Amino acid sequence: MKRTLQHIEYREDTEELARFAKALGHPTRIAILRHLESQACCFTGDLVDVFPLAQSTVSQHLKELKNAGLIQGEVKPPKVRYCINQENWNKAKILFNSLFNHTRSYSLDTKQSEDKHADKTN
Amino acid sequence: MKRTLQHIEYREDTEELARFAKALGHPTRIAILRHLESQACCFTGDLVDVFPLAQSTVSQHLKELKNAGLIQGEVKPPKVRYCINQENWNKAKILFNSLFNHTRSYSLDTKQSEDKHADKTN
DNA sequence: ATTTATTATCGCAAATGTACGATGAATGAT
DNA sequence: ATCATTCATCGTACATTTGCGATAATAAAT
């Protein structure tokens, strides 16, 4: 693998934002998080019932969300109750916010540039 | 591949949010977007100078960002000037906002649950 | 001690992602 | 017409992701 040569070191918040984004980069995981937001918490089995996916697949998505820090699991034998990890959820919220709200003053008067740029490279 | 059996149809905004998130799921692409935000627009070559990556690699990341709709390119031969696609950037901003701000009233009084849940499953 | 319920993990297969160098395409300049 | 510049695309190699079924792990209940 040639990528070993190039493991760029980015700012920590850049890495962290990318990790969060990556975890959010699958519709099933977005849906799981939406579910957790609306239901407060729920068990793995509840999610398996909601999504037409194998239990192992749901479990794997939960693992990824947990590894990214977006959710946390509490063992209630023989079940596991998953909830959003509020601390990291807030962190992610702040990071995404700062990405999208790096306000650029001219962004309000660039109507003409939007027209000009349209599909020139497609 | 067995996944062919399971191509779940999600709500369109779920799919779209996941697409945006996926495009943001790599630190180089976050850094490119940050650069575009601060510099307004810039040419491919400028980015190649900034990142210690092959030109083809940078080009590939730009392609993904363009496919996701987050940036757009304007041909200025022999260069190409890339800018953030404000329309979709706003759309993404709104989608991420709605994900993170599905306010849950009890989220302010769950101090004890945060303590209880801590690392039970690791 | 065995059984039951629930979930995580393993191993597999296919697809996708990430990096590179080499090549091709487009346009302006000579 | 040829050359130089810039960028996209192709082909390759390896890693990671995503899905599944099968199996292991855990703890309560019998």
Side-chain angles (χ1 to χ4, degrees):
Chain A
M1 192 199 186
K2 302 151 195 169
R3 269 125 67 225
T4 313
L5 304 169
Q6 292 300 356
H7 188 227
I8 304 178
E9 287 297 323
Y10 291 97
R11 279 160 44 194
E12 180 49 31
D13 62 325
T14 297
E15 300 268 13
E16 191 160 34
L17 182 48
R19 271 197 304 274
F20 285 138
K22 194 172 184 183
L24 296 174
H26 193 287
T28 296
R29 293 195 287 270
I30 296 280
I32 287 174
L33 288 168
R34 285 230 176 92
H35 200 77
L36 288 180
E37 271 190 320
S38 65
Q39 310 279 316
C41 295
C42 72
F43 299 105
T44 306
D46 301 337
L47 295 167
V48 174
D49 293 341
V50 169
F51 299 100
L53 292 167
Q55 179 264 324
S56 59
T57 303
V58 172
S59 195
Q60 210 170 327
H61 282 304
L62 288 169
K63 186 184 177 182
E64 275 191 60
L65 288 171
K66 202 176 73 171
N67 285 345
L70 293 173
I71 65 173
Q72 60 198 165
E74 178 190 12
V75 178
K76 290 254 192 185
K79 301 188 177 184
V80 178
R81 185 213 293 276
Y82 282 101
C83 311
I84 285 180
N85 180 317
Q86 285 300 322
E87 190 182 344
N88 287 327
W89 189 250
N90 278 331
K91 199 185 277 184
K93 175 180 174 175
I94 288 167
L95 284 171
F96 278 106
N97 234 304
S98 73
L99 177 70
F100 285 111
N101 291 328
H102 237 267
T103 40
R104 314 189 289 111
S105 52
Y106 62 86
S107 72
L108 293 172
D109 48 25
T110 17
K111 178 77 184 73
Q112 79 290 357
S113 83
E114 281 196 24
D115 297 345
K116 271 173 60 180
H117 296 168
D119 283 26
K120 279 279 183 65
T121 51
N122 290 327
Chain B
M1 190 201 188
K2 302 150 194 170
R3 266 125 69 225
T4 313
L5 304 170
Q6 292 299 356
H7 188 226
I8 304 178
E9 286 296 322
Y10 291 96
R11 281 161 40 194
E12 179 49 31
D13 62 326
T14 298
E15 300 268 12
E16 191 161 33
L17 182 48
R19 270 197 304 276
F20 285 138
K22 195 173 183 180
L24 296 174
H26 193 287
T28 296
R29 292 195 289 270
I30 297 279
I32 287 174
L33 288 167
R34 284 232 177 91
H35 199 77
L36 288 180
E37 270 190 320
S38 65
Q39 308 280 315
C41 295
C42 72
F43 299 106
T44 306
D46 301 337
L47 295 167
V48 174
D49 293 340
V50 170
F51 299 99
L53 292 168
Q55 179 263 324
S56 59
T57 303
V58 172
S59 195
Q60 210 170 323
H61 282 303
L62 288 169
K63 185 184 178 182
E64 276 192 60
L65 288 170
K66 203 177 72 171
N67 286 344
L70 293 173
I71 65 173
Q72 62 198 165
E74 179 191 12
V75 178
K76 291 255 191 184
K79 300 187 177 186
V80 177
R81 186 212 295 273
Y82 282 100
C83 311
I84 285 180
N85 181 317
Q86 285 300 322
E87 190 183 342
N88 287 326
W89 188 251
N90 279 330
K91 198 185 279 184
K93 175 179 173 175
I94 289 167
L95 285 172
F96 278 106
N97 235 304
S98 73
L99 177 70
F100 285 111
N101 291 328
H102 236 268
T103 42
R104 315 189 289 111
S105 51
Y106 62 86
S107 72
L108 293 172
D109 48 25
T110 17
K111 178 77 183 74
Q112 80 290 359
S113 84
E114 282 197 24
D115 297 344
K116 271 173 60 181
H117 295 167
D119 282 25
K120 278 280 184 62
T121 51
N122 289 327

